[in-house]
Amino acid sequence: MSRTPCNGVCGDEASDEVWQAQQQRALVPLSILAGTPEPRWRPRLAVTVGPSPARNLIGGVAFILLVTVLGVAGYMLAGWTAGDALYMVILTIFSVGYQEVHPINTPLLHCLTILLIVLGCTGMIFVTGALVQFFTASQLAQLLGLKRMKTEIDRLSDHVIVCGFGRIGNMLARELHSSGTTFVVLERADKRVAEARALNYLCVQGEATDEELLITAGVKRARILASVLPDDAANVFITLSARSLNLGLQIIARGEMPATESKLLNAGANQVVLPAHIGAERIAEIILHPEATRLIRSSPQNRGFETELHGLGLELEVVTAAARGPFTGLTIEEIESRAKGAFLIIALNRQDGSTVNRPASSTRVRAGDGVVVIGRAGRTGALYAFGSKPV
């Protein structure tokens, strides 16, 4: 069973250089996930709920302090001490209703007390409301945002579901977003959910192994599901659940251990990705055939060309000619004739370090040569005739 690496991911154990370079080498082209590009899609999850609660609270407290200062000053003008004036103001503003500190028996005191009751009580009502708003506005905004997000998801069809928003899931989501593909992220960690929503991705929080969560994400209407969790058991369970809910769904699953590949395929996955294996292959390619590697991926233009080939169902590969391989010692023309069009040889990386670009049809392949070929996606069996697995 052939292994199919994914677009834009590599093993967690590989270096950052390997991981970034692997974005271009994936055997599951992004075109599989992206399909036909659609208009740029950016769901808005932000919800505005009136003025800022903090601003309302600060304004209310400032108003109460102003009323307190003016009230104390008014009572002191009437001949009260500062302590008695402050005590009377506090009793009045907070509507405690204790006995007056001094008799209110003059027109000035009557007017001052009436204003203090009206302004002070109004200010306290406003502050109480602002305080409640301050503690509930974020929850309300989140509730309304989740409702709007659910409405957006319910309208989706033929979309992609990404299970997991870790290192691989994050990069996959960025690639899908940049291509304008509609997708939904399933993630349980609060921090990663917040990160996904901050990037304006549709994200449902919860365990991707939960069938109800998969249904909420629209698995019955989805086109592709990519399960990229670092837990093999979880990926197998997600694959089983998704397949039972949508028989026509294309499932791409990640596997950490090579032995998991067969389990995922038996569980219903269409393609299996082994990131660690991909990273190891890429490192081996750099070590064994550095010149061929530079030829293929030395510039953004070459990497872009490789991406275009993926879109056409073709791949660039580097294979090593074994000492006793059936193709070793043959000319380019003879090898391509025996391959029956499965691949074309475009360069040779000799053991002495030299590189032969666009080799003539009469050029012979020697043992240990790195052979750069363009072949059909899926690593056709003809490549193995060199006697060494592609690196």
Side-chain angles (χ1 to χ4, degrees), residues 47-205:
V47 179
T48 303
V49 187
S52 168
R55 184 181 302 174
N56 288 342
L57 184 60
I58 293 173
V61 171
F63 179 77
I64 291 295
L65 291 177
L66 178 61
V67 171
T68 301
V69 171
L70 294 177
V72 170
Y75 283 122
M76 291 180 66
L77 288 176
W80 293 20
T81 63
D84 288 344
L86 179 61
Y87 184 70
M88 181 64 182
V89 170
I90 296 299
L91 289 179
T92 305
I93 289 177
F94 284 89
S95 306
V96 176
Y98 287 160
Q99 182 178 350
E100 294 88 350
V101 178
H102 298 289
I104 308 298
N105 52 9
T106 66
L108 174 62
L109 289 176
H110 286 164
C111 292
L112 179 61
T113 304
I114 290 173
L115 289 174
L116 190 62
I117 291 172
V118 173
L119 297 178
C121 290
T122 302
M124 284 305 301
I125 292 172
F126 182 83
V127 168
T128 302
L131 191 63
V132 172
Q133 183 188 27
F134 181 79
F135 286 112
T136 61
S138 59
Q139 288 83 355
L140 180 62
Q142 182 179 7
L143 179 63
L144 294 177
L146 290 176
K147 184 176 180 180
R148 179 176 299 180
M149 179 183 65
K150 187 177 184 304
T151 302
E152 291 281 347
I153 294 174
D154 290 341
R155 294 174 180 172
L156 296 180
S157 62
D158 292 331
H159 57 288
V160 177
I161 297 176
V162 179
C163 299
F165 196 67
R167 187 177 185 182
I168 293 178
N170 191 316
M171 179 58 68
L172 176 58
R174 289 179 185 274
E175 293 289 338
L176 293 173
H177 181 67
S178 65
S179 69
T181 303
T182 53
F183 65 94
V184 179
V185 175
L186 302 185
E187 175 58 54
R188 67 177 180 180
D190 295 338
K191 182 178 179 180
R192 291 175 178 173
V193 169
E195 181 183 355
R197 291 176 180 169
L199 293 170
N200 284 331
Y201 300 159
L202 287 179
C203 181
V204 181
Q205 185 170 14

Side-chain angles (χ1 to χ4, degrees), residues 95-340:
S95 306
V96 176
Y98 287 160
Q99 182 178 350
E100 294 88 350
V101 178
H102 298 289
I104 308 298
N105 52 9
T106 66
L108 174 62
L109 289 176
H110 286 164
C111 292
L112 179 61
T113 304
I114 290 173
L115 289 174
L116 190 62
I117 291 172
V118 173
L119 297 178
C121 290
T122 302
M124 284 305 301
I125 292 172
F126 182 83
V127 168
T128 302
L131 191 63
V132 172
Q133 183 188 27
F134 181 79
F135 286 112
T136 61
S138 59
Q139 288 83 355
L140 180 62
Q142 182 179 7
L143 179 63
L144 294 177
L146 290 176
K147 184 176 180 180
R148 179 176 299 180
M149 179 183 65
K150 187 177 184 304
T151 302
E152 291 281 347
I153 294 174
D154 290 341
R155 294 174 180 172
L156 296 180
S157 62
D158 292 331
H159 57 288
V160 177
I161 297 176
V162 179
C163 299
F165 196 67
R167 187 177 185 182
I168 293 178
N170 191 316
M171 179 58 68
L172 176 58
R174 289 179 185 274
E175 293 289 338
L176 293 173
H177 181 67
S178 65
S179 69
T181 303
T182 53
F183 65 94
V184 179
V185 175
L186 302 185
E187 175 58 54
R188 67 177 180 180
D190 295 338
K191 182 178 179 180
R192 291 175 178 173
V193 169
E195 181 183 355
R197 291 176 180 169
L199 293 170
N200 284 331
Y201 300 159
L202 287 179
C203 181
V204 181
Q205 185 170 14
E207 291 285 352
T209 54
D210 185 357
E211 287 192 3
E212 290 299 323
L213 195 72
L214 291 174
I215 294 174
T216 300
V219 69
K220 294 182 179 180
R221 306 182 307 277
R223 177 168 53 92
I224 296 176
L225 181 142
S227 184
V228 293
L229 296 173
D231 185 343
D232 285 351
N235 287 329
V236 170
F237 193 87
I238 292 170
T239 300
L240 284 169
S241 300
R243 179 59 66 212
S244 66
L245 293 170
N246 186 345
L247 295 178
L249 181 68
Q250 183 174 359
I251 301 176
I252 302 172
R254 169 186 177 181
E256 290 299 310
M257 303 298 295
T260 310
E261 182 178 10
S262 60
K263 295 181 176 64
L264 287 167
L265 292 171
N266 291 332
N270 299 95
Q271 294 170 301
V272 177
V273 177
L274 300 175
H277 180 77
I278 299 170
E281 286 184 343
R282 175 72 175 112
I283 294 172
E285 180 182 312
I286 294 173
I287 294 173
L288 297 176
H289 309 295
E291 294 300 325
T293 302
R294 282 193 287 271
L295 170 67
I296 296 175
R297 302 178 179 92
S298 59
S299 67
Q301 289 80 7
N302 288 347
R303 291 193 293 270
F305 173 67
E306 187 179 5
T307 302
E308 292 297 327
L309 287 177
H310 282 308
L312 297 174
L314 300 173
E315 297 168 347
L316 280 175
E317 293 288 354
V318 183
V319 293
T320 303
R324 297 182 180 179
F327 286 170
T328 303
L330 300 181
T331 64
I332 301 294
E333 182 179 10
E334 292 171 336
I335 294 172
E336 292 179 348
S337 176
R338 293 190 183 187
K340 297 180 179 179

